[in-house]
Amino acid sequence: MKKILLSAFLLASVTAFAQDTMNDDNDQRDREEIPYNQWSLDFGIGAHHPHNLTAPGFFVNNPSFFSGDLGVRYMINDKFGINLDLGLNYFENADKEEDQSGEFQTNAYRAGLEGVVNVGTILGFREWTDTFNVLGHGGIGMTAIRFDEDINDETDWTGHFIVGITPQIKLSDNFALNLDASIVGYLSTDASLDGTREQARTDFDGFVSNYTIGLNWYLGNKEVHADWYNGSESARISELEERVATLETNNADDDQDGVPNYLDRDNTTESGVRVDNKGRALDVNKNGIPDDMESALDSRYAKKGAIASGANGVDGDGLIKQLINDGYVNVYFEFNSTKPTQYSLSSINFLATYLRDNPEVSATLTGYADEIGSEDYNKNLSERRAKMVNDILVATGVDASRLSYNGEGEDDSVEKSSSQARQLVRRVKFQVN
């Protein structure tokens, strides 16, 4: 028993020593957020058996019930921790006739401080299992022994030591099943456990063996508790690889506008369009069309005043009608969406203005989809896109009787593997007559 007591003191000392000798490691973790939870509540209930603690003629069942345990545990790191241990042992006389025990009922309430060692981490369990672990614990504390008042109305206060081992089975990120086997030794007692015999016990021949089953409830918002954290070199390499992959993804530039994805507020800007530092196309006049696209349209199709003056032998209304029917005025959509892109709203306004200025003209709206997805789905999607534009035009004041719409389904005229090309066919085009 003296060896057991020495082991308990050594275990508590190791915890204190570990806190001092791992300052460098903890300083490093202070600079980087600790990647695991450190707090837990540990519950257990079960049976026990006292050894050499009762007077002659008093016996207990083997095993006896009830034993309960509650621990509030803090892991200093993934190998060592401390635990505030609270426990209860209820002892009563054996109920078997052959034992012929005197009657008694005794409660022992204990509180103590323990050192905890994550045996599984130290021995490298994380290299071969993520569901099984072993903790070791040991420490000292105080116990209050309350006897049956009819036998002994005094409370026997005594110091105790405790040492034990706790296998664990992980149930989830928040809970683990634990099985604990511990020895509790009383440093001195004034009476036998049944309360009938006065004694001054100063040796360690008498002790209680505890066996409980319970749960570890892990507290915190991290994905893993220190009990299960894998801090091995291979795990760190894997974590670094994940970080590198994340950096590569974040720093990619899908729309090639010079702004990485993680800063880009609009990751679908057209190639060659100037953007601000958040990846949004420059649009000084706030008309929904990127400035670079607007100036290109002006230079390619018509200058200001050309329409009104009938440049190139075409009257203004005739040129507008030609532009619309030749497919230069379209409404575009994002993938699998019926909501027009922001820059396409000016095209809807363009057609609405033309229809208001030419009340005898009607328009047909034809929707299209790219080739991603089934034909039936894309047929329906293209019709819903056309209807959406139809509804917007009606909302602007265009008479619904002047509009008709339909969906043509997939437009396979562009390269299916090119996301930029597919953007061009996700559209609604106009035909005026």
Side-chain angles (χ1 to χ4, degrees), residues 22 25 67 80 92 106 131 167 198 211 243 264 283 294 308 344 400 422:
M22 293 192 177
D25 182 58
S67 174
F80 301 98
E92 66 176 347
T106 301
T131 58
E198 293 186 3
Y211 309 96
R243 291 184 179 181
D264 205 332
D283 182 16
E294 190 171 14
S344 291
R422 293 198 308 272

Side-chain angles (χ1 to χ4, degrees), residues 14-15 18 22 25 29 36 75-81 116-123 134-136 226-227 229 231-232 236:
V14 165
T15 301
M22 293 192 177
D25 182 58
R29 295 193 187 281
Y36 49 78
M75 295 301 291
I76 300 168
N77 50 48
D78 59 335
K79 299 179 180 67
F80 301 98
V116 180
V117 177
N118 192 339
V119 178
T121 293
I122 293 175
L123 297 183
V134 175
L135 301 178
D227 289 356
Y229 176 67
S232 65
R236 291 179 182 178

